[in-house]
Every structure is written in C-alpha cells, then in structure tokens.
Amino acid sequence: MTQSSTNIKPQAVKHDAATLYQAHDEQVKRVGILGGGTAGATIAIRLASLGVETYVFEKQKSLIDGPPMCHLHAGGNLYREIPDEDCVALLKQCIDILRLYPYTIDVRPTVFAVPTRDEGLPEDLLPRLDILTQAYRDLIEQDINNKVLGEPENYYQLYGHEQLIELSEREQVPVPSSVDEWLIPVAKYLDLNKVKFPLIVVQEYGWNIFRLAASAQLALDEYDHAHVFTNTKVKQVVAVDCDNCANADHHVSKWRIDYEQHSETQDNEAKADSIEVDYLVNACGFRTGIIDDMVGVEVKRMVEFKSSYITHWDNTGGQIPEIIIYGERGTPEGMAQLTPYPGGYFQIHGMSKFITLFDDGLVASNEDSAQPKLPAQYVHYIEDGWDKAPLQARSQQAIEYVAEFVPTFNSARTVGNALYGGQQIPGIDDTLRVADVSLYPNLHYARAENVKASSTLLAADEIVNQLIELGLLENDLPADRDRYAHEWAYLARNDSITIDEVARELADERGFPLPMAGVNHSIREEALSNLTSAEI
C-alpha cells in the first residue's frame, strides 16, 4: 500500500492517555470504547458531542476498516426471509444514520430481479414494499428532514417486459437523471430471458466505506473530548472498583484498560499504558467475544467470514444502478449483486460458498468461550490481506457469476483487491439482520452487536440512556437535543470535497483504486438542500 502525497493522516492520537487521565478532575466521567469500526466510531461521536471524555482504541491504522458494505439496506429488500417489522426498523435506522453521514451516500436506485429459476415471484415482495412506503411517509410526517430517499410515491417502481424492451432501444444517458434513464443500461445489458417481470426499482442508495471512515474521522476531530488511539492493541480489561466480585451478581463501577500503542515509525516501537474508565463499551466487531471473556460475560454468538470482490468494467457507456438477482443464500444459485462505483469499478457479492461465503466461514461460540474461532486462514486474510491466488480465483468466479445475467460483464477484469472481514451475529440465528446493543448496567458495560452498520446510531442512543440512568451523564443536555435534530458539528465545517480528500487518502492507504473513494451522485445535490434543521 502506498502513502499518499498529501499526507492527511487517519485519525491521530490527540493526547497521551495517561496524561489525560491524570489531568482530568475525578468528577469528569470517562468511557472507553474498544474498537473503531462503524459502531465504535459512531458511539464515540455521540458521547463526545455530549462532553463525555471518550477514548477509542483501534487496532488498525484508521477508523472503520472492516467488513464490506455497499448500500444502506433502507428497507432490507435484499432479504426475503426476514420479517416486515425488521425491514421497517432497517428503513428507520438507515434514514437516521444517513443524516449523520450524508456525504457517504451514492444516490442511485437499486434494481431487484427474480430469476426464472427461482420459485418466488416479484409480486410476493409488493406487500412489504407498500408497508415500507407507508413507513417512509410516516417518518416524513414526523420530520420533513427525513425525506432523504426522494418522494414516498417513488420509493419503488415496477418495470414490465414491454417497458424494458422500449428502454433498450433508447440511447443511453451517461449521467442519468430519471428512473427511466437509470433503467436504459439495465434493459440493454441484463439478459431479459433469465428474469421474471416486473423488475422492481427501489430508492436504495449506495454507502461508501471510505467516505464513512473519512466522515467519522472528521467528526471526531471536532471534539476535544474525543481521544482516538489507532495502531493500538488492547491487552486486557480489569475491574478495579468491584462489589461482590466473587458472586454472579457483582457490580463494577470502574474498568482499567491495558493497551499497547505502536508508533508509525520504521521500528514500530510499542508503548504500553493503562487508563481507568467509568464505563466500558465493547465494539470489537467479530472479536467482541474476547472482551466478553475478560469481563466474565457468557453469551452465544456466531461469526461469519465474508468477502466481496472489486472488478473493473469499462463497457457500461455511463452510470448504471446497482443490480441484484435474488437467490437462496448459500446455494450454488445464491443472490448475485453488482454494486457500481465511479470510474467503472464494481463490487460483487455472490451469496454462494465459492464467492462471498465460505464452507467453514460460519463459526459459533461454545461453553468455554464467548469468542467463536474462525479458521486461521481467514484470520490471516483479515490481519494480513488475501493471498494472491485465491483472491484472483474468487474474483474471476464472481465475474462469471454476474455474467450469467449480465453477459457483457464477462469482459470485466479483476483488480487484485477485495472488501472482506468477519461479521458478528448475536445469538444462534444466522439469518438475523437487526440487532444493536446489549447492556449490563451492573457491570458498567455494553456490547455493540450491529449486524448492519445502520444500527450503530441506535446503539449509541441506548448507551447514552444507560449512562443517564447510571448517573454518569446529565439528563436533557442541549447537545442531546441537537442529536435528534441532526445538528452535528462536523457538518457545519466540512463538505463533500473535504470528505473526498480524506476518503481518497484512506482508499490509497488501503490499496484500493482512488475512484472508489468517490460517489457518482452525491446526496448534497439530491437531499441536503431540503434539510432545514442542520447547519450545512
């Protein structure tokens, strides 16, 4: 990975933790957050905005460098198997977090197609879509600034076979400005003989992980109360103020975090240190069980290693929407997903065990430990990067998988990188898609359990409520009201260009093509002009 010439560092350590700890008054409450992924970073923004001394410890060189993401899941339409109420929950969460991270969004529709080989019908999805449309209307009635996915009546649209044939004969528009124009390349490139009609077009937007990491970094830079330690490994957490520690119902009011921070110098020298906090948040993603074991919490969970692949296809003739072909997860005919980025780059999911999923990639905790044990090969991929040969093979298989439905995509080329990681799944249901946080008030401990990144702001809210109940945070702070109006400090001082600069730096540092740090259609032009409460 190359170092960018602009030398904009990912979130840097602001202060030495021990110095901070000694300098602060005992009345000032401190929260330690273990993990700087989407959950840890979002919780940190929420707490630091309220004046809580917030310490984030992240093993990687920058924040939010984890499992793949590609869209908001604003309605959960990818998942035919989850209940309608979970889809409504995802819609609400996505709109909420979009307003915290507006510059991370790529405004474009998603096309859902049911293949002819599938037992389901497109019409099966319409009752859910009607429920979601009404839920979106209700959210807009509650707050006009929730209208970030366009007009409710346009939340989804149907396209029949004759419409698509007509669109296939029209000249493609390089930069679409209407749903019809977005569907022209779909009509031209999708094999219409292999899908059922109608096709369903939903206002499901893209979500860019590089811009999300950049936004979180810039947001935390706004707060003197936010202290971010990257390149830092937590060695252990120890209860230092504990009542009845020998009993199962014991109480902990302080934790000591022992950590080791690695410098960015050539010798990578490590510095050991400790800090005491009044509340501990476990946001370690797929590694949350390690901290649960240290804390002494017994919990069942699963971890799944998943990967998506980056390809380049320059024959599109312009921008195209995301295309999703339904299929049964884990079978040779699992869902195929083609996600567009600027510059002709595409991210591919193929929900079969020879592309995105892995035969031994789903593991569960046991009686001895809350931490599921991923095979060493996948831990190696997560920590050190993919080995070249299997990455090339899976990337090519992903291209061929999509090309079954988009034949000209067989000319796409692999680029030697992927977005991948371990996804945590609380409990024993591997179809779970909605979860946020588990709270242990007697231990002053919380564990973020976000299966989808959109749940992280809700998790942060629940932790804030817990801190208020425990007397660690004042009730009804003005900054708490600002959160629900989405008056986030960094949005007043940063714009899409600022986000773009940092996102490009992060993409370069992580070895991805620089165009992937951008979006085809920024939400600024589409929706931010409609917001009245935030200073943007």
Side-chain angles (χ1 to χ4, degrees), residues 252-255 278-280 440-446 470 472:
V252 177
S253 57
K254 282 189 184 295
W255 292 95
D278 302 284
Y279 195 89
L280 184 67
Y440 300 84
N442 62 307
L443 300 178
H444 282 213
Y445 176 64
L470 292 171
L472 298 175

Side-chain angles (χ1 to χ4, degrees), residues 351-412:
M351 301 307 287
S352 71
K353 292 184 177 178
F354 63 95
I355 299 179
T356 289
L357 308 178
F358 295 76
D359 279 326
D360 52 352
L362 180 64
V363 293
S365 56
N366 55 43
E367 294 179 356
D368 298 326
S369 174
Q371 179 59 39
K373 299 288 192 297
L374 275 175
Q377 179 184 18
Y378 306 138
V379 176
H380 161 60
Y381 287 169
I382 292 170
E383 294 183 345
D384 306 315
W386 269 74
D387 295 335
K388 186 175 181 180
L391 174 59
Q392 172 68 23
R394 288 229 172 200
S395 298
Q396 186 58 44
Q397 286 168 185
I399 290 172
E400 294 166 4
Y401 199 68
V402 170
E404 177 185 353
F405 294 95
V406 186
T408 56
F409 193 71
N410 61 11
S411 65

Side-chain angles (χ1 to χ4, degrees), residues 477-512:
L477 293 168
D480 202 32
R481 296 193 294 272
D482 290 345
R483 172 264 181 271
Y484 293 101
H486 287 282
E487 293 179 353
W488 302 103
Y490 90 103
L491 291 178
R493 283 177 276 278
N494 293 280
D495 57 17
S496 185
I497 295 173
T498 314
I499 301 297
D500 188 69
E501 290 175 355
V502 180
R504 288 171 65 86
E505 181 80 14
L506 293 171
D508 185 45
E509 182 182 86
R510 298 174 188 181
F512 288 89

Side-chain angles (χ1 to χ4, degrees), residues 238-452:
V238 180
V240 295
D241 192 350
C242 181
D243 294 332
N244 268 341
C245 269
N247 299 324
D249 62 347
H250 65 285
H251 288 71
V252 177
S253 57
K254 282 189 184 295
W255 292 95
R256 190 186 78 232
I257 302 170
D258 296 336
Y259 64 93
E260 190 174 77
Q261 184 179 16
H262 292 265
S263 68
E264 293 187 8
T265 59
Q266 203 167 24
D267 59 7
N268 199 27
E269 181 182 355
K271 177 183 177 183
D273 213 334
S274 298
I275 187 170
E276 289 185 11
V277 296
D278 302 284
Y279 195 89
L280 184 67
V281 177
N282 178 359
C284 290
F286 83 95
R287 291 186 172 96
T288 54
I290 296 173
I291 305 301
D292 278 334
D293 287 346
M294 292 180 184
V295 170
V297 171
E298 294 182 7
V299 63
K300 293 181 179 179
R301 68 158 53 83
M302 293 179 288
V303 165
E304 184 169 33
F305 179 78
K306 298 164 69 176
S307 183
S308 63
Y309 306 89
I310 308 304
T311 62
H312 189 259
W313 183 39
D314 56 7
N315 295 333
T316 62
Q319 297 172 16
I320 72 171
E322 181 163 353
I323 300 175
I324 291 176
I325 311 295
Y326 280 114
E328 184 179 348
R329 188 184 193 276
T331 69
E333 298 176 344
M335 182 182 70
Q337 182 177 335
L338 184 65
T339 304
Y341 286 80
Y345 291 95
F346 290 83
Q347 178 182 350
I348 304 174
H349 279 81
M351 301 307 287
S352 71
K353 292 184 177 178
F354 63 95
I355 299 179
T356 289
L357 308 178
F358 295 76
D359 279 326
D360 52 352
L362 180 64
V363 293
S365 56
N366 55 43
E367 294 179 356
D368 298 326
S369 174
Q371 179 59 39
K373 299 288 192 297
L374 275 175
Q377 179 184 18
Y378 306 138
V379 176
H380 161 60
Y381 287 169
I382 292 170
E383 294 183 345
D384 306 315
W386 269 74
D387 295 335
K388 186 175 181 180
L391 174 59
Q392 172 68 23
R394 288 229 172 200
S395 298
Q396 186 58 44
Q397 286 168 185
I399 290 172
E400 294 166 4
Y401 199 68
V402 170
E404 177 185 353
F405 294 95
V406 186
T408 56
F409 193 71
N410 61 11
S411 65
R413 295 291 177 261
T414 64
V415 299
N417 213 334
L419 288 163
Y420 51 89
Q423 180 184 50
Q424 66 166 330
I425 307 170
I428 57 174
D429 178 8
D430 65 355
T431 68
L432 182 69
R433 294 295 176 267
V434 178
D436 43 78
V437 68
S438 288
L439 304 171
Y440 300 84
N442 62 307
L443 300 178
H444 282 213
Y445 176 64
R447 178 179 59 253
E449 297 180 325
N450 307 101
V451 180
K452 294 301 174 190

